[in-house]
Amino acid sequence: MSAPLKEKAMLFGRTRSLVGVLTEPARNAESRGKPGVILLNSGLLHRVGPSRMYVALARALAADGFPVLRFDFSGIGDSESRRDALSGDESTLEEARDAMDALTAARGVRRFILMGLCSGADNAFQIARADERVVGAAMIDGYAYRTIGFHWRYWSERLASGRRWKRLLQRVVRRASHAASGGSNPAEPMYVRAFPAKERVIADCRTMIARGVELCFLYSAGQYQYYNYRRQFDHAFRRLDYAGRVTVTYFPDANHTFTRRSHLEELVSAVRAWAPRTIEVSERPDAGVDPVVRPVAQKALADVPAS
Amino acid sequence: MNPFYFGRSQRPLFGIYHPPHARPVRKTGVVLCPPIGHEYARTHRVLRHLALSLADAGCHVMRFDWYGVGDSGGDGSDVDLPGWIADVGTAIEELKDTSGITRVSLVGVRLGAAIAMSAAAKRRDVENVVLWDPIVRGSTYLSDVIALNEQFLRNEYPPPRSRSENPERDGVLGQPLPATLRDQLAAFSLTSLTTCGARAVHVVASAPHSHFDELSAHLATLPVRSTCQVLGRGGDWDAVDRIVSALLPQQIQPMLQGMAELAMAEAE
């Protein structure tokens, strides 16, 4: 039976126009010493997340004693658009800080874990770097950097796949036919994420690790354009001393939005297993002892997808 | 705008109340009934936009999430149609308590439209029911959404390990589909309704469909005024490449405006 939880809707921010839901254990004592968790929107999807991912994460972590706030940045979901001239990055940081302040006011917590999928992961990383109240960041399909191992797997699979060849042929025929009919832009629009330079990310990781921040990188196989084997993170960040504060998990069967419930449950289990590492992190004596923390979900330990 | 939880403690529902922003305040409030699953996520922003438009026109408006969907309680494994039909009643009573109004209109989308219509059949306080691309037959919806799920996951990476998906274990496009709900959907048809407590029913369609013709013909046999109109581009519900993309208000403005006008049409 699941632990009893409380959920409460919140309006916060300078103009009380940001909408969120606070999930917490029914008994306040269970939250003692635990940071507050804040879930950051993935793209334009509102705070519920794809396949209700954020609701599942919030309730699982709250069952473990973490107060969790999922909210909408301005202009997303139920939150109003801003009327000032702040840039996207500035407003994102300001509103994440508003969320931390709101959680402090509601629950008294002063240390935070930030968490998100895709653009939510990117924001979690950047905000964790910028705000010293953050003691943990869990990034689902966040920044990734290709390695030789990545390219080997990527191209081996593509060249061996009949389905890929068929698709390529279809694309060539479609483009040729479009060009013949006078079309000007045969290419379909494609969403491409821009990651910061790897050196910059390594430097930021070092800064956060030195601060005692726990970093959790979770990659689905659905992020195949950027990440396609479990140890890719280790290889790409070879020059980064994890100091026992980096956890990497790879989900070889999951698509990017963890659509299947069984995959979502694996994700939730992995995050749940990692989150306690942030409890009173500044007081823990083990900093610098554990060189590399291996993936937490045994099920996710397989290397390259077998299919 | 006031977000809050309401309903029984064992079945908490998340809702947002939008007070009227114009005078005169209309006597009829509006309850919005969203779709479920991926369609719920896709339509979230446009239903917010519709609620704001209605509030700007003087309506008390209530949005809410079904039990087991969105921010409401429940993990989706224990949802069923009768429970969702009861949720509409809970939301209506909440809006009436909050605002002091005595009559409501319902705007439902897809399965939310079917549930809204079913709820209206049992009530005497409903003015208009506006059905946006309603699910007329549950069995068709079920087979369509299961097929769409398989098509979506086939196009996703990594490729599925088995030829067919397991909706019992993994749900469909993020929505759990427990056996009870599947059985109830398989047996459900809006053309089986024998009563309608609403003053008027308006079907608004993104495109003509034989199911809407059947529904219109059936509504003509009931003691209720009904209309059916095609209001142009809607949700592209069957498009596999739209499953994870949110609908934006500017994409479907005629649809939203048409629904707002129909919801506010009053006998007074």
Side-chain angles (χ1 to χ4, degrees), chain A residues 7-11 17 19 21 44-48 51-52 55 59 70 72 75-81 157 163-164 167 221-222 224 252-257 259-263 305-307, chain B residues 1-5 14 16 40-41 44-45 48 63 65-66 68-77 149 152-161 165 169-174 176 244 246 248:
Chain A
E7 287 199 314
K8 179 185 163 192
M10 292 176 69
L11 275 176
S17 60
V19 177
V21 172
L44 291 178
L45 289 170
H46 77 301
R47 62 190 174 275
V48 165
S51 309
R52 245 183 151 203
V55 175
R59 290 179 182 167
R70 57 183 186 271
D72 293 325
I76 297 176
D78 290 308
S79 295
E80 285 178 25
S81 298
E157 199 222 346
R163 193 173 82 143
R164 300 267 182 206
R167 280 193 183 177
Y224 69 97
D253 296 323
N255 68 329
H256 177 53
T257 49
T259 304
R260 296 179 189 86
R261 202 171 168 81
S262 51
H263 295 161
S307 59
Chain B
M1 181 177 71
N2 177 32
F4 64 112
Y5 279 87
F14 176 82
I16 294 189
Y40 158 82
H44 183 269
R45 190 73 180 175
R48 173 184 182 270
R63 287 188 289 141
D65 291 342
W66 309 108
V69 177
D71 284 312
S72 286
D75 65 2
S77 62
N149 181 53
F152 172 72
L153 290 171
R154 266 201 308 275
N155 289 351
E156 285 283 279
Y157 195 91
R161 287 183 185 275
E165 295 296 320
R169 183 192 65 200
D170 284 330
V172 170
L173 294 169
V244 290
L248 299 175

Side-chain angles (χ1 to χ4, degrees), chain B residues 184-242:
Chain B
Q184 289 164 347
L185 283 171
F188 175 83
S189 174
L190 272 181
T191 59
S192 301
L193 291 178
T194 54
T195 59
C196 181
R199 189 183 67 85
V201 177
H202 305 285
V203 178
V204 291
S206 305
H209 195 289
S210 60
H211 283 187
F212 302 147
D213 297 337
E214 287 172 35
L215 177 60
S216 295
H218 179 70
L219 289 171
T221 68
L222 300 178
V224 62
R225 194 167 70 79
S226 63
T227 66
C228 180
Q229 51 191 306
V230 175
L231 285 182
R233 189 175 168 193
D236 295 329
W237 312 114
D238 299 329
V240 71
D241 59 343
R242 296 280 185 275

Side-chain angles (χ1 to χ4, degrees), chain A residues 32-47:
Chain A
R32 197 165 296 137
K34 294 181 176 122
V37 180
I38 297 175
L39 287 155
L40 308 176
N41 292 115
S42 171
L44 291 178
L45 289 170
H46 77 301
R47 62 190 174 275

Side-chain angles (χ1 to χ4, degrees), chain B residues 10-257:
Chain B
Q10 301 89 342
R11 194 179 175 90
L13 301 177
F14 176 82
I16 294 189
Y17 165 62
H18 297 263
H21 284 158
R23 293 194 176 273
V25 173
R26 292 176 186 264
K27 293 175 184 168
T28 302
V30 182
V31 174
L32 305 187
C33 302
I36 66 166
H38 70 289
E39 292 174 348
Y40 158 82
R42 288 198 65 210
T43 54
H44 183 269
R45 190 73 180 175
V46 295
L47 288 182
R48 173 184 182 270
H49 184 86
L50 178 60
L52 292 173
S53 301
L54 289 163
D56 284 345
C59 295
H60 293 277
V61 187
M62 173 86 158
R63 287 188 289 141
F64 75 103
D65 291 342
W66 309 108
Y67 182 69
V69 177
D71 284 312
S72 286
D75 65 2
S77 62
D78 54 350
V79 294
D80 59 12
L81 274 182
W84 283 342
I85 292 168
D87 287 347
V88 180
T90 308
I92 291 173
E93 294 306 325
E94 188 66 33
L95 180 59
K96 287 163 74 174
D97 284 352
T98 303
S99 64
I101 54 159
T102 56
R103 292 188 66 75
V104 294
S105 287
L106 304 176
V107 177
V109 188
R110 303 285 286 159
L111 190 64
I115 299 167
M117 186 67 194
S118 304
K122 299 173 181 173
R123 300 189 67 95
R124 293 290 172 268
D125 53 1
V126 177
E127 190 80 7
N128 300 298
V129 184
V130 181
L131 309 173
W132 174 10
D133 288 336
I135 301 302
V136 178
R137 287 189 193 152
S139 57
T140 307
Y141 172 72
L142 207 50
S143 55
D144 285 353
V145 81
I146 287 172
L148 198 61
N149 181 53
E150 299 217 347
Q151 192 186 352
F152 172 72
L153 290 171
R154 266 201 308 275
N155 289 351
E156 285 283 279
Y157 195 91
R161 287 183 185 275
S162 58
R163 283 181 179 275
S164 60
E165 295 296 320
N166 183 345
E168 179 80 47
R169 183 192 65 200
D170 284 330
V172 170
L173 294 169
Q175 173 70 47
L177 275 186
T180 309
L181 178 62
R182 285 209 308 278
D183 292 346
Q184 289 164 347
L185 283 171
F188 175 83
S189 174
L190 272 181
T191 59
S192 301
L193 291 178
T194 54
T195 59
C196 181
R199 189 183 67 85
V201 177
H202 305 285
V203 178
V204 291
S206 305
H209 195 289
S210 60
H211 283 187
F212 302 147
D213 297 337
E214 287 172 35
L215 177 60
S216 295
H218 179 70
L219 289 171
T221 68
L222 300 178
V224 62
R225 194 167 70 79
S226 63
T227 66
C228 180
Q229 51 191 306
V230 175
L231 285 182
R233 189 175 168 193
D236 295 329
W237 312 114
D238 299 329
V240 71
D241 59 343
R242 296 280 185 275
I243 282 170
V244 290
S245 64
L247 267 176
L248 299 175
Q250 56 268 32
Q251 295 172 324
I252 55 163
Q253 194 53 40
M255 177 68 78
L256 293 174
Q257 190 177 336

